[in-house]
Amino acid sequence: MRKDVQEKDYNGITQGVIWQQLLIFFFPLLFGTFFQMLYNTTDAVIVGRFVGTVALSAIGGAASQIVNVIVGAFLGLASGASVVIAQYYGAGDQDKTSASVHTAIAMSLLFGVVFTVAGILFAGPSLEGLNTPSDSFAESKIYLQIYFAGMIPNLIYNMGAGILRAIGDSKRPLYYLIISCLANIGLDLFFVAILKMGVFGAALATILCQLLSAVLVMACLLRSPECYGVRISEIRIRRFYMQRILQIGVPAMVQSLSYSLTNVILQAAVNAYGTSYVAAWAACGKADQVFWMTSNSFGIAVTTFIGQNYGAGKMDRVRKCIRESLIIDTIITVSLSLFLWFMTDILIGMFTTDKDVIALGRMMMHFFVPCYVTFIAVEIFSDVLRGMGDTFAPMLICISGICVLRILWVILARPVRPQFSTLMWSYPVSWVPTGILLVLYFILTWGRKEKRLRA
């Protein structure tokens, strides 16, 4: 494919009106967020409704946190591949784009095998280490082992969708997600509500739909004649491109892993308060995915725009993208915060009919929702820096500010004030200083990034 043909594909990102093109790229991601939320919460809704609180605790408690650790770690690595591909694609380098794509697919296969084996073998010990309540331990283990059995297609889909988004295509991943989500809802109802297969049925439905999504995204990439298309014979790890992906992806992976491990530590602390608190925490975590997935989707849009424009050497557009992203993200955050505040009871009630759990979930949501605005700087500036290929220092800032500070808060503050609210305060207490440090780092390093690009 000639460079002028490729330019027609991505000029909306590197040449169009930024806020318009950003929203055009973002809205499919936003709709994808909605269906991703449905996909991830279907198990919890149906299991909570048709099986009960213990089963909800089993799939939404420690098991969910362990899954988040593993998948989150890979998504951090996949973000490195997306940045590399976006920069090469933005620069119009077809050969390097193709080599990066094939290396990324090979890496996802390798990690899929490793995670599958490790996840199945260590499911039990991991749950024991998190003080999983005894009444939900057996079902948590079942759910976790089946989920890890489907890890390879899970990673293939996430990497494939990341490749498409890196080249500016946010629509096809949305279509595949919608299909998989609808299939997941149908299979969940069939396995859990009709066949009464409980947690086992919910897990089986999930991995079958992950396989479907992987088949769809790979079929798209295999059919594409463009430089980002996949050829089976070309799928292998190329050292140079793997190093580039790891250079950007490992810090992002470590950062994501640190977030997840921190949440696992918090989950262990939550478990000490009993099953009702665990179920409410799980329901709250599912409900506020409306915010987190929307924020993450906007972050993907920002990283893609920054990556392609930085790769094309268009620093003026990078500056404008940062300013306009901050404005748009503020509007999104405030709007979603108001929605979640007033819809709390309805959202929590989707997962359980237990009045005590609903009351606890309401208390948690009404605490967290007003704090989301403090996360804007963390989201935007970490994604901007990642798009420019700068991930190591932001990783250190995020790990120190969010992870270490949050853990220290739990260790030091909880013994002094053992109320459950002490655990919740660990979130805003860690977001604010992290955001400030990221902004300061960005200001101090911006000049060097401009000079390096000109050189």
Side-chain angles (χ1 to χ4, degrees), residues 309-363:
N309 283 287
Y310 187 74
K314 299 186 176 183
M315 294 303 287
D316 287 341
R317 288 183 65 81
V318 171
R319 287 193 204 91
K320 291 178 182 177
C321 183
I322 295 169
R323 290 196 298 268
E324 294 176 21
S325 295
L326 285 168
I327 295 171
I328 294 171
D329 198 29
T330 299
I331 294 171
I332 291 172
T333 299
V334 172
S335 300
L336 284 178
S337 296
L338 290 172
F339 170 79
L340 290 171
W341 178 276
F342 290 108
M343 294 293 289
T344 292
D345 281 15
I346 294 175
L347 293 172
I348 299 297
M350 291 172 60
F351 305 99
T352 181
T353 57
D354 189 316
K355 292 183 178 179
D356 290 337
V357 174
I358 292 174
L360 288 171
R362 183 191 309 120
M363 178 269 293

Side-chain angles (χ1 to χ4, degrees), residues 206-224:
T206 297
I207 66 169
L208 288 176
C209 293
Q210 288 172 346
L211 177 61
L212 173 61
S213 63
V215 169
L216 291 172
V217 78
M218 282 304 298
C220 168
L221 293 173
L222 287 168
R223 289 196 307 266
S224 175

Side-chain angles (χ1 to χ4, degrees), residues 3-4 6-18 20-21 90 305 308-309 312 314 317 320:
K3 184 176 178 179
D4 60 340
Q6 182 179 342
E7 188 169 337
K8 182 180 178 181
D9 291 333
Y10 70 80
N11 62 8
I13 290 179
T14 59
Q15 296 180 26
V17 177
I18 292 176
Q20 291 179 350
Q21 296 301 325
F305 267 66
Q308 285 204 23
N309 283 287
K314 299 186 176 183
R317 288 183 65 81
K320 291 178 182 177

Side-chain angles (χ1 to χ4, degrees), residues 17 50 87 91 155 166 192 194 224 231 238 269 273 374 386 409:
V17 177
F50 290 97
Q87 289 183 354
L155 302 192
V192 178
I194 297 176
S224 175
R231 310 289 173 264
R238 294 161 174 82
Y273 289 87
T374 65
R386 184 178 300 117
W409 177 270

Side-chain angles (χ1 to χ4, degrees), residues 29-39 177 181 293-294:
L29 294 175
L30 179 60
F31 289 121
T33 292
F34 174 73
F35 282 97
Q36 185 69 58
M37 181 191 67
L38 286 180
Y39 191 98
L177 190 58
C181 176
M293 289 188 177
T294 302

